[in-house]
Amino acid sequence: MVNRYLSRTLMLLVVLTGLVFNPAWAGSKILATSGATQIEGAAGGGLVPWAIIGGYGSEREWGAAASVTRVGLPDFQLGTAAVHAGINNRFEVSFAQQTLQVDNLAAVLSSPLDGVIEQHVYGAKARLWGDLIYEPWPQVSLGMQHKVNLNPAAGNVLGANSDSGTDWYLSVSKLYLHALFERNLLLNGTFRYTDANETGFLGFGDGSGTDTQWMAEASAGVFLNANWAVGVEYRQKPDRLNLGESDWRDAFVAWFPSKQVTVVGAYTDLGKVALWDDQTGWYLSVQINN
Amino acid sequence: MRLLTIIALIWLLAACSTTPTQPTLYERLGEQEGITTIVDNLLYEIGGNDTLLPFFAATNISRFREKLIEQLCQVSDGPCDYTGDSMAQVHAGMDLNDSHFNALVTDLVAAMDEAGVATGAQNDLLARLVPMYDEVMNPDDYINAEPTDTDANRVTR
Ligand code: HEM
C-alpha cells in the first residue's frame, strides 16, 4: 500500500515540477476563474464539477493543473491525485486516480469491503455557450466522467451489477460581479445523470433496469478579494443499494495566492458511507497550475 | 437540503442587495486625481504586457489616456461627458479575442491595486465596464447596425 502511494506521489511530483518550471508563461484567464479540482478530477469546486474549463488558458491558449486531495473522515481516508487540461477555453480532459481507504480494517474484518478501493476516472468537458464573467447569460458546459472501479468486490456484494460506469453532467456557472456586499459571487448548478453508487466506490447500478438517475448539485462562493473565496456545496446522491447513501455537502475556503497555486480547505459532511454513519471531516486540496 | 436553502437565500440576497453606497463610485475611485492615477498605472501595465502592447503601436497615447479618463469618470457617475468614439468604432478591425480582453482586465485590476482602490469599488467599476464586452468584441455587429451615413456613425453617446 505504501508503495502505491509513494509511486503516485512521485509521479505527481514529476508532473508538478514540470508545470512549475515551465517557461514563465501563464494563461490569461482572470485569477481564480479556473477554479479548483473536484474529487473526480474535473475543474470545479471540491465535490461538484463546474461549467468552467480547467487551466488558465483562455481563447487560443491552453492550461493545465495537477492536484492532490485528501479527505479525512472518522472511518475513511479518501485520496485523489488528478490532472486536467483545458484548450481554447473550450475543451477539458481530465484523469483522476482515487483511493478510498478503510481505517482500522481489523475491527471491521467481517465487512465485505476491501481495505482500499481504487477507482480511475477519465473525464471530458466541453463549453457549449456563454462566458463565466462577460456575457449576461451563464456559461454552460456538458461533461462526462467514465469511471472504472478496480476493487469492485464490495460493490458487488452489496448489490451493484457493474464495475464501471459513465456519468454525464450539464453544468451552469456564473460569476456575478459586485453582487453580494460588493463582492463577486459565483453560482453553479450541475445536473448529473449517473448510475454510480457512492460515486462508483461501491460499483454501478443495481440491475433493476432503472439504474441511471438524474441528480442535482449546487455550489455558491463569494470572493472576499481577488485571492480568497469562501463557499458551500451540495451534491445529491442516489440510494440504489438501500444502504441509506447520503447526499454530500461541504463548506470551503479557497486561496489563490497566484495563478500557479490553488489551495482549498473544507469541512465536509459525507453522511453515511456504506455501513458507517456520520462521516464528517476535513478536506484539503493542493493544486499547481502552469 | 438545509444547504440548498442557504444557497437559495444567498441567491436571493444577491438579487436584492442594491448596496446603498453613500459616496459615488467616482468619489471612491479618488475622483479626477484617482482616476488619472489608475489610467496612468494601466498605461504602465500595458507597456509591459507583450499580449497588449502591439495593439497600441500606432495609438495616440495622450488621446487614449484622455478619453479613457473621461470614460471612467462618466461610468463612475463623475461630472464628465465621454467625448471619444463609440466602443465599436474604436475597437473595430482589431480582431480581439478573450485572451486580450482578460489581459486588459488583469492589467486594470493591477492598476487599481496599485492605486489603492478597495475591492468593493474595484468590483463596482468592473461590473460597469463588463456590459461593454459585446460591443468591444463584436464591433461589426454594432457598426453595421448603424445607418450607413458616415456622419451618423459618429458617437451617439
Ligand atoms: C470594456 C473594455 C474596454 C473599454 C471600456 C475600452 C475603452 C477604450 C477607450 C475609451 C478608448 C479611446 C477611444 C477614443 O480614442 O476615442 C480605447 C481605445 C483603444 N482600445 Fe480599448 N477598451 C476596452 C477593451 C479593449 C481591449 C480588450 C483592447 C485590446 C488590446 C483594447 C485596445 C484599445 C486600443 C489599441 C485603443 C486605441 C485605438 C487607437 O489607436 O485609436 N481595448 N479603448
Side-chain angles (χ1 to χ4, degrees), chain B residues 9-10 12 15 17 20 22 31 42 45-46 59 61 77 79 83 107 110 119-120 122 124 133-134 141 149-150 153-154:
Chain B
L9 265 174
I10 292 177
L12 268 175
S17 76
Q22 267 72 40
E31 307 194 349
L42 176 64
E45 292 290 334
I46 291 173
T59 297
I61 296 294
D77 300 328
T83 62
D107 279 357
T119 304
Q122 290 196 19
D124 195 355
Y133 169 84
D134 195 52
D141 296 353
D149 179 85
T150 13
N153 272 346
R154 295 268 155 252

Side-chain angles (χ1 to χ4, degrees), chain A residues 25-258:
Chain A
W25 175 86
S28 42
K29 271 184 200 163
I30 309 297
L31 182 64
T33 60
S34 67
T37 302
Q38 55 93 232
I39 48 163
E40 288 136 323
L47 300 175
V48 181
W50 295 350
I52 55 173
I53 298 298
Y56 276 101
S58 181
E59 205 172 336
R60 297 189 207 166
E61 296 175 341
W62 65 280
S67 61
V68 279
T69 302
R70 291 286 271 172
V71 189
L73 302 165
D75 298 299
F76 296 98
Q77 303 293 326
L78 172 61
T80 299
V83 286
H84 63 233
I87 300 157
N88 206 18
N89 194 30
R90 174 65 68 185
F91 298 107
E92 173 189 302
V93 288
S94 60
F95 173 72
Q97 184 206 33
Q98 303 178 300
T99 49
L100 183 69
Q101 189 177 1
V102 186
D103 292 340
N104 309 319
L105 191 61
V108 293
L109 263 187
S110 59
S111 90
L113 282 178
D114 288 334
V116 172
I117 300 177
E118 181 172 341
Q119 179 167 261
H120 293 177
V121 185
Y122 305 85
K125 193 197 290 179
R127 179 171 62 86
L128 303 180
W129 307 284
D131 184 272
L132 182 68
I133 315 174
Y134 302 131
E135 286 169 8
W137 51 90
Q139 178 162 327
V140 181
S141 294
L142 179 69
M144 73 92 178
Q145 293 177 331
H146 180 69
K147 305 176 180 182
V148 180
N149 184 325
L150 307 183
N151 307 87
N156 290 343
V157 167
L158 294 168
N161 75 334
S162 175
D163 57 9
S164 70
T166 305
D167 289 359
W168 289 91
Y169 62 89
L170 193 76
S171 285
V172 180
S173 305
K174 178 82 184 143
L175 184 72
Y176 295 93
L177 299 179
H178 198 242
L180 185 71
F181 304 116
E182 294 211 297
R183 293 298 178 271
N184 301 337
L185 174 68
L186 186 131
L187 296 179
N188 176 80
T190 295
F191 306 91
R192 184 193 295 262
Y193 193 58
T194 179
D195 67 349
N197 306 314
E198 290 293 1
T199 76
F201 285 114
L202 295 183
F204 301 84
D206 63 352
S208 70
T210 54
D211 294 10
T212 319
Q213 287 162 268
W214 282 103
M215 293 288 133
E217 305 173 10
S219 321
V222 176
F223 281 91
L224 304 178
N225 60 28
N227 306 104
W228 289 90
V230 293
V232 289
E233 290 196 300
Y234 168 81
R235 177 162 170 174
Q236 187 187 23
K237 303 211 347 297
D239 184 22
R240 253 173 238 104
L241 304 181
N242 297 314
L243 293 170
E245 181 173 340
S246 300
D247 297 346
W248 286 358
R249 62 205 77 207
D250 72 70
F252 67 82
V253 178
W255 182 42
F256 304 89
S258 73

Side-chain angles (χ1 to χ4, degrees), chain B residues 4-105:
Chain B
L4 263 189
T5 322
I6 294 174
I7 294 174
L9 265 174
I10 292 177
W11 202 313
L12 268 175
L13 254 172
C16 304
S17 76
T18 37
T19 27
T21 34
Q22 267 72 40
T24 62
L25 178 59
Y26 174 71
E27 283 159 356
R28 300 174 70 200
L29 293 175
E31 307 194 349
Q32 205 58 31
E33 197 188 324
I35 290 174
T36 303
T37 305
I38 293 170
V39 170
D40 284 342
N41 292 348
L42 176 64
L43 288 174
Y44 182 80
E45 292 290 334
I46 291 173
N49 189 323
D50 294 341
T51 307
L52 295 179
L53 194 55
F55 288 97
F56 293 88
T59 297
N60 176 345
I61 296 294
S62 64
R63 177 191 156 105
F64 173 67
R65 178 175 179 273
E66 176 193 315
K67 300 302 175 197
L68 191 58
I69 290 170
E70 268 179 24
Q71 191 189 42
L72 297 188
C73 170
Q74 178 180 308
V75 157
S76 61
D77 300 328
C80 314
D81 283 318
Y82 174 63
T83 62
D85 295 335
S86 80
M87 287 295 101
Q89 284 172 317
V90 176
H91 301 98
M94 287 190 195
D95 194 21
L96 296 176
N97 69 37
D98 281 345
S99 302
H100 307 130
F101 200 91
N102 281 326
L104 190 71
V105 172

